[in-house]
Amino acid sequence: MTFNEFKTIIEDRFPEVTPGQMEQFRKMEALYRDWNSKINVISRKDIDQLYRHHVLHSLGIAAYLKTQMPDVYEYMRGEGTYSVAPALKILDLGTGGGFPGIPLSVIFPNAEFTLCDSIGKKITVATEVAKGLELKNVRTVNARAESLPDTFDYIVSRAVTSLDNFMPWVKGRYREGILYLKGGDLTEEIATAMGKFKMRKGSVHIWPISSWTSDPYFEEKMVIYIEK
């Protein structure tokens, strides 16, 4: 997927994205190619599909919020009655080179993102890309989740581990919910986590990204929303 193909999708699905935000999306490819040549965090095959496999996939969370939780979407963008609202605090746990946090931080200027990863070289890439994009709403942390002292409104993550491993890492760390990108058959994994952590019935929502885009790459990719 080229940037122009990506741009066409964004203009159609997120027409509210500003020219300045679109320019930040455009700059991502050169920044990631440059930093990936120094510190390899994205495979050679994937770097050629940066916009499809990483940027658009990350924006699956934005698509979920826009279609399923429009008030939260408007709040994070600072639109309408939320134009002077205090910024929501978002933790991207296991961000790697900055996904999903960096694409989300572009589309959601009224959210403060903390990008956290325990692997230093990955955080270096995320840090430098955020600087290159002049993202004022991003901070990066080289740490394990358990060591973070902060509490956040939402936690986002992209398939860093199974949910039964993930949930203990974020216990007591969020006020509203978790937005988790995961693929495949999730029935057993979710049932295991719900039983293990006594999550109430109806608190876990599964949304197929394929309901938002017909791209075959997203056929088995989901957004899992876990309410507090």
Side-chain angles (χ1 to χ4, degrees):
M1 179 180 286
T2 65
F3 170 71
N4 284 336
E5 290 169 328
F6 169 82
K7 182 172 182 276
T8 298
I9 293 169
I10 297 305
E11 287 174 340
D12 178 53
R13 300 307 176 107
F14 299 108
E16 60 278 8
V17 164
T18 68
Q21 289 166 340
M22 193 67 80
E23 178 63 9
Q24 287 175 308
F25 284 128
R26 187 193 66 79
K27 288 179 177 178
M28 282 183 191
E29 182 171 22
L31 286 165
Y32 272 109
R33 284 190 180 278
D34 180 37
W35 278 99
N36 207 55
S37 69
K38 302 170 187 173
I39 304 173
N40 185 250
V41 295
I42 300 173
S43 72
R44 188 172 296 133
K45 176 184 173 184
D46 262 9
I47 198 70
D48 290 333
Q49 287 294 334
L50 178 77
Y51 285 109
R52 174 178 282 115
H53 292 184
H54 298 282
V55 184
L56 197 59
H57 189 202
S58 297
L59 294 178
I61 288 176
Y64 175 82
L65 291 173
K66 183 173 182 177
T67 59
Q68 308 299 311
M69 302 167 65
D71 286 350
V72 176
Y73 180 83
E74 288 184 15
Y75 193 122
M76 288 190 185
R77 282 193 56 79
E79 294 176 340
T81 58
Y82 302 111
S83 60
V84 293
L88 292 177
K89 297 185 183 301
I90 316 294
L91 170 65
D92 175 7
L93 186 56
T95 189
F99 301 104
I102 284 180
L104 292 176
S105 69
V106 170
I107 205 166
F108 291 137
N110 197 38
E112 295 176 358
F113 285 82
T114 297
L115 276 51
C116 176
D117 204 285
S118 61
I119 300 175
K121 69 176 185 177
K122 292 183 177 181
I123 279 295
T124 296
V125 173
T127 301
E128 294 304 324
V129 171
K131 285 181 184 176
L133 296 174
E134 299 181 12
L135 291 169
K136 307 301 184 188
N137 59 335
V138 170
R139 69 173 179 130
T140 55
V141 180
N142 179 204
R144 298 186 68 84
E146 302 91 321
S147 68
L148 293 176
D150 307 314
T151 303
F152 302 86
D153 294 297
Y154 291 92
I155 294 175
V156 299
S157 193
R158 187 170 70 152
V160 292
T161 186
S162 64
L163 282 173
D164 63 325
N165 288 330
F166 186 79
M167 295 305 292
W169 297 350
V170 298
K171 184 178 181 181
R173 307 278 177 183
Y174 62 98
R175 290 180 283 271
E176 299 294 336
I178 298 169
L179 291 149
Y180 201 68
L181 290 166
K182 201 89 193 285
D185 186 354
L186 301 168
T187 306
E188 185 176 342
E189 180 176 336
I190 290 172
T192 298
M194 289 188 74
K196 189 172 182 179
F197 302 108
K198 297 180 172 59
M199 297 156 71
R200 74 181 188 279
K201 187 177 180 180
S203 65
V204 180
H205 308 266
I206 304 172
W207 185 76
I209 297 176
S210 60
S211 68
W212 174 71
T213 173
S214 59
D215 189 322
Y217 176 74
F218 297 102
E219 275 181 8
E220 294 188 353
K221 291 182 166 47
M222 312 288 174
V223 176
I224 305 173
Y225 177 57
I226 302 172
E227 298 176 12
K228 176 71 173 177

